[in-house]
Amino acid sequence: MASFRMLRFLLLLVLSTTNVLILHPVGTYANSTTNAKQRHKPLFVFGDSAFDPGNNQYLDGMEKGPAYYSPYGQHFFAGTTGRHSDGRIVPDFIAQNANLSLIPPCLETGANFTNGVSFASAGAGVFSDLPGVMNLEQQMMKFDEIKEWFVQKFGDVKSRKALKRAVYVFGFGGKEYLSLYFNGHNISKTYQRQYAEMVVRNLTNAVLELYNAGGRKFGFQNVGPLGCLPMLKAKKPELKDACIEELMSMARKHNKILAGTLKRLGEYMPGLKYSIFDHYNSLLDRINSATNYGFEEGKAACYQNEPEALNGMNWGGNNWMEQYTLCHNSSRYIFFDGMHTTESANSQIAELMWDGPPSTTQPWTLKQLFEL
């Protein structure tokens, strides 16, 4: 308990500084460990709809959303599962690269969690607000239950070692800034920064809890170019090819604060290793130059419906099932729906997270973390 209080003190110390430090690549560590004997390393996933493999269907009182019906999952071998894509999502590809089976939802009854668990929940954020959704705090509570599952299956010593070898991947933040944008107008730059610091503080509190449980290896997908989402562009046709700068600015603030905070935490917490994937610039490059990455369309969604265009995330009951249009070949699109990327785009994103260059993924890659 004392050590955990000390970690929280260090977090407050880190967040109190206004200087954001620059990350530096670690060089060619992976080359020196490629042939090392690999031990089993679970993958634990925390996040929102982009990472959710279908947890929400198990929540009490939660009606199944659009992702549990066609045309979602049309390229996924099991059909519709709650994944917000036409096929696999980013954690599916990461698990594949790590030689793990698909990571099951934490709420799936009777699932085998030996290879890891996904706590991600569509609509989740780092703050407590939406009913029927597992926010970050609730996902951490479910992690405590999974720890007990590991102890019962492997015993105290082996479960502790498994948690230390595991890689913990986070995909949070977008919901907070979309909510701030929709609920407030002319928000000052000062408040935007304070808000971003609160978001990052909640994220790093989770890191401290996992670190105290034995976790040492963490991966982060930073906040993407929110102002370019097709859902939002449909609400502001006057923007044409431009994106909503206020949302873009919020995302950049978050990403800068996250990078600086993790850098300083790494200096205080022995053994902590982390990877930050630059989702913002990687996805923005593909949106603006889709053909350079093998796509035909980078700005419009493959799957479009009227309620989505008019009401943001309000699907208007079940009317969406009858009021949509679908592109001929989703693999040629970056966005499947108004917020989420296609399997083809997810594959590229996952590869960058797994073994991308220092310009996109640093100071470690996920591949390097799994090889530790």
Side-chain angles (χ1 to χ4, degrees):
M1 182 65 70
S3 63
F4 187 56
R5 288 199 296 269
M6 176 60 71
L7 290 176
R8 286 194 177 278
F9 170 76
L10 292 175
L11 173 61
L12 292 174
L13 178 64
V14 167
L15 289 172
S16 67
T17 182
T18 57
N19 295 323
V20 177
L21 303 181
I22 303 298
L23 298 173
H24 297 284
V26 296
T28 58
Y29 176 86
N31 292 335
S32 66
T33 62
T34 300
N35 296 323
K37 181 179 180 181
Q38 298 297 302
R39 293 178 296 172
H40 177 69
K41 296 156 182 128
L43 171 63
F44 294 101
V45 180
F46 302 82
D48 54 25
S49 56
F51 282 7
D52 181 9
N55 267 311
N56 282 18
Q57 64 185 308
Y58 302 107
L59 294 170
D60 292 339
M62 186 67 178
E63 295 184 5
K64 288 186 176 181
Y68 293 93
Y69 302 94
S70 177
Y72 288 91
Q74 59 182 296
H75 297 146
F76 192 70
F77 73 93
T80 55
T81 60
R83 287 167 168 81
H84 285 73
S85 181
D86 56 326
R88 286 169 288 180
I89 54 178
V90 168
D92 295 331
F93 290 105
I94 293 172
Q96 176 180 304
N97 285 335
N99 294 318
L100 300 172
S101 58
L102 289 176
I103 305 303
C106 67
L107 298 178
E108 181 180 326
T109 303
N112 186 340
F113 301 128
T114 303
N115 285 328
V117 189
S118 177
F119 305 92
S121 173
V126 302
F127 302 136
S128 304
D129 50 8
L130 285 181
V133 170
M134 290 193 301
N135 57 43
L136 176 58
E137 180 182 2
Q138 292 162 329
Q139 291 182 31
M140 292 302 299
M141 292 171 63
K142 293 304 296 184
F143 172 77
D144 288 337
E145 295 180 16
I146 296 299
K147 278 195 304 181
E148 293 304 314
W149 185 93
F150 270 80
V151 170
Q152 292 177 14
K153 188 173 183 65
F154 301 108
D156 288 332
V157 175
K158 288 186 177 180
S159 63
R160 180 79 178 185
K161 289 181 178 179
L163 294 177
K164 186 173 183 179
R165 291 196 298 265
V167 176
Y168 303 80
V169 174
F170 286 80
F172 273 110
K175 177 185 176 298
E176 270 63 46
Y177 301 105
L178 289 171
S179 297
L180 184 63
Y181 174 77
F182 282 120
N183 295 328
H185 300 283
N186 299 319
I187 298 172
S188 70
K189 300 294 184 182
T190 298
Y191 181 75
Q192 287 182 22
R193 179 175 180 82
Q194 292 172 343
Y195 187 81
E197 288 173 345
M198 288 190 294
V199 174
V200 171
R201 184 178 298 115
N202 273 36
L203 279 172
T204 45
N205 272 337
V207 171
L208 296 180
E209 290 185 34
L210 294 169
Y211 181 90
N212 197 51
R216 292 296 183 270
K217 300 180 289 184
F218 300 88
F220 293 85
Q221 175 176 283
N222 72 15
V223 174
L226 298 175
C228 298
L229 294 176
M231 177 189 77
L232 301 179
K233 299 290 291 293
K235 297 168 70 71
K236 291 180 174 290
E238 68 275 12
L239 288 173
K240 297 182 180 180
D241 287 337
C243 298
I244 301 174
E245 177 53 32
E246 187 174 7
L247 276 167
M248 303 293 273
S249 176
M250 290 182 191
R252 291 193 297 268
K253 282 185 176 68
H254 171 97
N255 295 341
K256 186 176 182 180
I257 293 170
L258 176 65
T261 301
L262 290 175
K263 172 66 176 179
R264 292 181 61 82
L265 282 180
E267 296 171 351
Y268 287 110
M269 298 165 65
L272 178 70
K273 301 289 188 298
Y274 65 90
S275 170
I276 301 180
F277 165 59
D278 187 3
H279 190 215
Y280 181 96
N281 285 303
S282 298
L283 185 56
L284 185 61
D285 285 346
R286 284 160 174 76
I287 291 171
N288 292 330
S289 305
T291 56
N292 291 346
Y293 297 94
F295 298 99
E296 294 176 358
E297 176 57 61
K299 296 180 172 63
C302 169
Y303 168 47
Q304 302 180 33
N305 61 68
E306 192 67 12
E308 180 185 44
L310 294 178
N311 301 316
M313 296 181 70
N314 177 13
W315 293 86
N318 289 328
N319 292 334
W320 54 268
M321 296 180 70
E322 300 176 357
Q323 302 180 35
Y324 71 82
T325 59
L326 189 68
C327 68
H328 178 67
N329 185 356
S330 60
S331 67
R332 310 307 294 171
Y333 279 65
I334 290 175
F335 287 99
F336 181 64
D337 65 15
M339 295 183 67
H340 306 98
T341 42
T342 61
E343 180 180 71
S344 296
N346 290 336
S347 174
Q348 292 189 13
I349 291 169
E351 283 304 312
L352 291 173
M353 292 181 71
W354 181 254
D355 196 24
S359 59
T360 62
T361 309
Q362 59 170 305
W364 302 77
T365 65
L366 291 185
K367 179 184 178 185
Q368 291 170 331
L369 293 183
F370 271 98
E371 289 176 340
L372 287 174

